[in-house]
Amino acid sequence: MRSPTHPGPASSSHVPPLDGIRGLSAVIIVLTHAPKLGLTPLLPDDLGNYAVMVFFALSGFLMGHLYLHKPFDGPSAAHYVAARIARIVPLYYVIVLWAWVMFNFVDPSFFYAMTTSALPRHLAFFGSVSYFWTIGPEVQFYAIFVTLWWAVAKARAGAMLPVTLVLGAAALLFVLQPLFPGITIFSKLHIFLGGVAIAGLRRPLAGTLQHSWPAFAMQAGLVGLCFVMWLDPPALRVLFYTSPRDHLLNVYYGDLRRIMVAFMLIFAFSFETRFANGLLANRFARSLGTYSYSIYLLHGPVLWGLERAGLFAATGPAPGFAIGLAAVYAVGWLSFTVIEMPAQRLLRKPLTRVLAGRAALPA
């Protein structure tokens, strides 16, 4: 029997509340970065690290959810690679090159200090200037996922075997994680793989927990936990935030307690309920998720530009914050409309055809 939390039918592959999770994570990052430009702090600074961790785990979940149950072959892999390239590369390259021009030829105090020596590393997805450091591990994970997908497709002997393999790899990398530099994929790969494993664990439970009271109870409990994290009580800070400061974030991204918060959020809100849909799948929350990539890459330059123009000094921190958030949202929408979507429409099908043709060639 359907519970009162049931909101109606939904796509089996699309999980609307996770759009809101992505958008909310982007907003949290903006809110934790904004005080560095003189705006009113609304969240604990370390909460932004949780949001980045959620991004990483969500990427793993979505790849596992969308692809791991499908057969692995040349055309499928070509479609996957083309979709990832068309989604990530165009906007990233536009902003990296724009940052290089601005920093070297327009204003040496530009928000992204993209030197000429740093440019090739960033174009190869190995750079670490400001917020760009997160994009490299993301792209490297997408490359690694192709091998993981192939291995899981070969190991279909049992329903839980793929999940066991992924969890085993994630556990091994979690143990080895402190050995790797903080900006490399292997220092974060256990988080991506944990997200993949969540997708595998969720699949057999979808029929039981979708639109259910247990799913609602998990979601409500996690919202309460996030509220406590926002209050930032000193007695509980050691549980939720890293101490001491960790320059490369190896300690932070290697702390199982913190990782589990991100995993639980994604698992719980991967099931639809009235509560989840009202909170995170409403039109505004989903628009934040849609524009989140542009918001993430552009919020720093937008707020920096407003601060340099004297807006925050003229309005005061609180009104300036509201104006800054509105500007970030507007620029995110514009970037998505003018760059992201046209690039995806232009590149996805041609890239798929080219890559599928290469996949069809004899080895």
Side-chain angles (χ1 to χ4, degrees):
M1 183 177 67
R2 289 176 176 174
S3 77
T5 56
H6 177 52
S11 165
S12 60
S13 60
H14 184 220
V15 185
L18 294 185
D19 293 341
I21 288 282
R22 186 189 299 109
L24 181 61
S25 297
V27 171
I28 288 172
I29 290 170
V30 175
L31 293 177
T32 55
H33 287 163
K36 297 174 184 177
L37 295 171
L39 295 175
T40 304
L42 295 179
L43 298 175
D45 180 63
D46 285 337
L47 202 58
N49 294 327
Y50 270 103
V52 173
M53 192 183 296
V54 168
F55 271 135
F56 288 161
L58 185 56
S59 291
F61 174 88
L62 291 174
M63 295 306 98
H65 176 66
L66 293 174
Y67 293 101
L68 274 195
H69 64 285
K70 296 180 179 178
F72 181 88
D73 53 34
S76 297
H79 181 274
Y80 163 81
V81 173
R84 295 301 93 207
I85 292 174
R87 172 75 176 89
I88 296 295
V89 175
L91 179 66
Y92 174 79
Y93 271 16
V94 166
I95 295 177
V96 166
L97 292 170
W98 172 60
W100 175 73
V101 170
M102 289 293 296
F103 181 76
N104 290 278
F105 303 105
V106 179
D107 188 344
S109 67
F110 183 66
F111 183 83
Y112 285 134
M114 185 62 63
T115 63
T116 299
S117 62
L119 180 62
R121 295 197 302 273
H122 286 77
L123 293 178
F125 298 99
F126 288 101
S128 58
V129 168
S130 191
Y131 311 147
F132 291 129
W133 77 267
T134 65
I135 307 301
E138 188 98 10
V139 172
Q140 294 157 35
F141 164 70
Y142 292 147
I144 290 171
F145 180 80
V146 176
T147 302
L148 174 63
W149 184 10
W150 170 84
V152 168
K154 293 291 185 181
R156 289 286 183 193
M160 292 303 293
L161 182 57
V163 175
T164 304
L165 292 174
V166 175
L167 281 174
L172 176 62
L173 286 164
F174 174 77
V175 172
L176 298 177
Q177 182 261 356
L179 302 177
F180 302 106
I183 62 169
T184 63
I185 179 59
F186 292 107
S187 68
K188 309 293 184 294
L189 188 55
H190 58 289
I191 301 174
F192 289 105
L193 292 180
V196 175
I198 292 171
L201 291 170
R202 176 195 182 275
R203 181 162 290 276
L205 297 173
T208 303
L209 291 180
Q210 192 80 304
H211 315 305
S212 69
W213 282 107
F216 164 72
M218 284 192 296
Q219 293 161 358
L222 284 164
V223 168
L225 174 62
C226 291
F227 179 72
V228 172
M229 292 168 66
W230 172 61
L231 293 177
D232 193 18
L236 297 180
R237 166 158 276 271
V238 69
L239 293 177
F240 296 140
Y241 303 111
T242 183
S243 179
R245 290 295 291 177
D246 173 21
H247 177 62
L248 293 179
L249 296 176
N250 272 25
V251 172
Y252 194 94
Y253 290 102
D255 190 305
L256 191 59
R257 295 167 299 176
R258 300 175 177 104
I259 293 170
M260 290 307 297
V261 173
F263 287 172
M264 288 188 297
L265 276 169
I266 291 168
F267 179 77
F269 283 98
S270 70
F271 302 102
E272 290 191 68
T273 64
R274 286 187 185 274
F275 175 73
N277 283 356
L279 183 67
L280 294 170
N282 60 74
R283 181 176 296 182
F284 178 66
R286 291 181 66 181
S287 74
L288 286 172
T290 300
Y291 312 146
S292 59
Y293 186 40
S294 288
I295 287 173
Y296 177 76
L297 287 178
L298 289 168
H299 76 275
V302 169
L303 295 178
W304 173 85
L306 294 176
E307 191 269 340
R308 285 292 300 272
L311 176 70
F312 301 147
T315 62
F321 215 136
I323 296 170
L325 290 178
V328 166
Y329 181 87
V331 170
W333 166 81
L334 183 64
S335 171
F336 177 81
T337 304
V338 174
I339 302 175
E340 286 193 66
M341 277 306 296
Q344 291 187 53
R345 290 170 181 160
L346 179 67
L347 294 176
R348 186 173 295 189
K349 288 184 178 180
L351 281 173
T352 301
R353 286 196 295 267
V354 170
L355 294 170
R358 291 182 178 274
L361 294 175

